[in-house]
Amino acid sequence: KDKFGEFVNNTTKLRSNSMGKSLVSYVAGHAICAGYIDSVESKIDDWPLLKGTLYDGQKLIDILNMNAGDQKYVYDSVLWDGEDADSKNFAHYMKKMQGKKKSKSRYNYNVILTSLIFNYILFKSGDDFEKLLNDVFQKKVRIKDSVYFQKNRGSRNTGTAHNMFFATRYDYLRLAKAILDDWQNDTCVGKYLKTIYKNRIKKNMPSD
């Protein structure tokens, strides 16, 4: 309270920043367990927004691992032409990716892939998207206060889901506990998390 009491308290909504990428992955696990997506090995070849791009037909596990061979065109939150890759609907960026060819796969941290995952969940769950999020955050995590993801402008079929997440500090703690409980109790989502961990790739970073 003495340090940050004027700015942060138990009801302050805090930005997830890159933690939002992990939360999208957690939602993806629930989408798989709920039957909207078959598995992490599923090929993303049924989504019109990806047709003709380097992501068309790639496996979900490679998108989750940021191993999609897109390093020539995007890094972090910037596209190769200098445009921000994090402020418009997903369809806008896929128009720019038309005709682009996949390079040799290697780890390439970027927001386009998280946006792809989240909007693919939106596409696959259809009218159940809000229900899926409620099942995760209200029923599973049992958040105390409201939480929300940002939303980009556009119609639903342009891919408006955004991974920036807002929650109070104690609801972040509730999220962390739910993830740990899944892992320890070996639930369907826990098995998904272990599959993701087992199939992680080298990132050529000191922690590897």
Side-chain angles (χ1 to χ4, degrees), residues 20 24 27 47 49 85-91 93 111-123 125 129-130 133 148-165:
V24 166
V27 173
W47 191 18
L49 281 185
D86 198 24
S87 61
K88 297 181 180 177
N89 60 53
F90 189 68
Y93 300 114
V111 73
I112 289 287
L113 295 179
T114 305
S115 182
L116 192 164
I117 295 164
F118 206 16
N119 283 289
Y120 187 61
I121 296 169
L122 173 62
F123 167 69
S125 60
F129 183 65
E130 292 292 338
L133 294 182
Y148 62 92
F149 286 98
Q150 267 183 212
K151 183 179 179 181
N152 284 325
R153 293 182 179 179
S155 61
R156 188 184 186 87
N157 61 4
T158 62
T160 56
H162 191 289
N163 69 279
M164 189 63 74
F165 181 80

Side-chain angles (χ1 to χ4, degrees), residues 26-27 30 129-149 165 171 174-175 178:
Y26 190 53
V27 173
H30 286 81
F129 183 65
E130 292 292 338
K131 177 183 179 298
L132 175 63
L133 294 182
N134 288 339
D135 285 346
V136 176
F137 295 103
Q138 292 182 351
K139 295 182 180 179
K140 177 78 163 288
V141 177
R142 296 184 180 182
I143 53 171
K144 179 181 178 183
D145 299 297
S146 64
V147 301
Y148 62 92
F149 286 98
F165 181 80
D171 278 339
R174 290 182 180 93
L175 261 165

Side-chain angles (χ1 to χ4, degrees), residues 48-142:
L49 281 185
L50 298 188
K51 296 301 179 184
T53 73
L54 63 85
Y55 303 114
D56 189 11
Q58 292 210 41
K59 289 184 177 182
L60 180 59
I61 185 63
D62 291 326
I63 307 300
L64 287 162
N65 273 331
M66 298 195 171
N67 189 38
D70 58 0
Q71 58 269 20
K72 287 185 179 179
Y73 307 111
V74 60
Y75 174 72
D76 200 345
S77 59
V78 181
L79 294 174
W80 75 99
D81 60 3
E83 183 182 5
D84 177 16
D86 198 24
S87 61
K88 297 181 180 177
N89 60 53
F90 189 68
H92 168 80
Y93 300 114
M94 290 305 97
K95 286 179 181 177
K96 302 189 76 167
M97 289 289 187
Q98 281 294 318
K100 300 297 186 290
K101 301 299 181 184
K102 177 183 174 182
S103 301
K104 182 178 179 181
S105 294
R106 67 174 174 83
Y107 179 72
N108 179 44
Y109 178 90
N110 72 79
V111 73
I112 289 287
L113 295 179
T114 305
S115 182
L116 192 164
I117 295 164
F118 206 16
N119 283 289
Y120 187 61
I121 296 169
L122 173 62
F123 167 69
K124 294 295 283 186
S125 60
D127 292 338
D128 287 346
F129 183 65
E130 292 292 338
K131 177 183 179 298
L132 175 63
L133 294 182
N134 288 339
D135 285 346
V136 176
F137 295 103
Q138 292 182 351
K139 295 182 180 179
K140 177 78 163 288
V141 177
R142 296 184 180 182

